[in-house]
Amino acid sequence: MRYNLLDNQRNEFILVARILLMILFVISGWAKLTHFSGTVAYMGSLGAPVPEVATGIAIFMEFFAGIMIIAGFYTRPLALLFALFVLGTALIGHPFWHMVDPERATNQINFLKNVSIIGGLLLLVVSGPGRYSVDGR
């Protein structure tokens, strides 16, 4: 009840949250799209199966799905799918449990960052995109 003041800005907060959650991915996805061959090589170095397909999936999720979530288009299902994608990238890209310091510490931080992002995405799944979205119209 004492948070009623914030309830009046609920839709604005959700819009800002969608933008903040996705801006990193949209920028990263654009870099992957514009440097496709380098990204394929990197995916191969991580041991990703079929690096070309893995790169295509990463580009679709990060760039295109990221833009759709910012716009609030199919927000709930895409946020859930994105949470699974981020979990996969955490497990494949940051396996800190197989590493020694300082590499271990860096990858553990990045793994936990991904877990935190998953938390934000799950909140978006249950809250929905808010009024300022394609879904909200």
Side-chain angles (χ1 to χ4, degrees):
M1 295 205 230
R2 61 183 172 186
Y3 299 111
N4 288 343
L5 177 65
L6 297 178
D7 285 345
N8 294 333
Q9 287 80 37
R10 179 181 188 277
N11 291 299
E12 290 80 7
F13 277 111
I14 293 173
L15 171 62
V16 170
R18 288 195 333 257
I19 293 167
L20 294 176
L21 273 170
M22 291 295 109
I23 194 69
L24 165 73
F25 293 103
V26 170
I27 292 169
S28 179
W30 177 253
K32 286 175 176 67
L33 180 63
T34 57
H35 300 95
F36 188 83
S37 61
T39 305
V40 169
Y42 175 69
M43 293 286 191
S45 76
L46 291 176
V50 194
E52 294 83 2
V53 174
T55 299
I57 291 169
I59 290 169
F60 174 79
M61 289 303 299
E62 292 180 10
F63 187 70
F64 296 106
I67 288 173
M68 289 190 285
I69 289 174
I70 288 173
F73 185 69
Y74 286 105
T75 306
R76 289 176 188 233
L78 279 176
L80 183 58
L81 184 63
F82 216 103
L84 294 172
F85 170 75
V86 173
L87 177 61
T89 62
L91 293 170
I92 293 169
H94 305 294
F96 67 91
W97 49 90
H98 293 302
M99 300 174 180
V100 296
D101 283 328
E103 186 182 34
R104 176 185 172 87
T106 301
N107 278 277
Q108 185 175 15
I109 289 168
N110 284 315
F111 181 90
L112 293 173
K113 170 195 53 98
N114 282 21
V115 170
S116 297
I117 292 167
I118 291 167
L121 288 163
L122 293 177
L123 279 173
L124 195 52
V125 169
V126 297
S127 74
R131 180 177 6 145
Y132 303 113
S133 64
V134 175
D135 292 346
R137 300 207 177 265

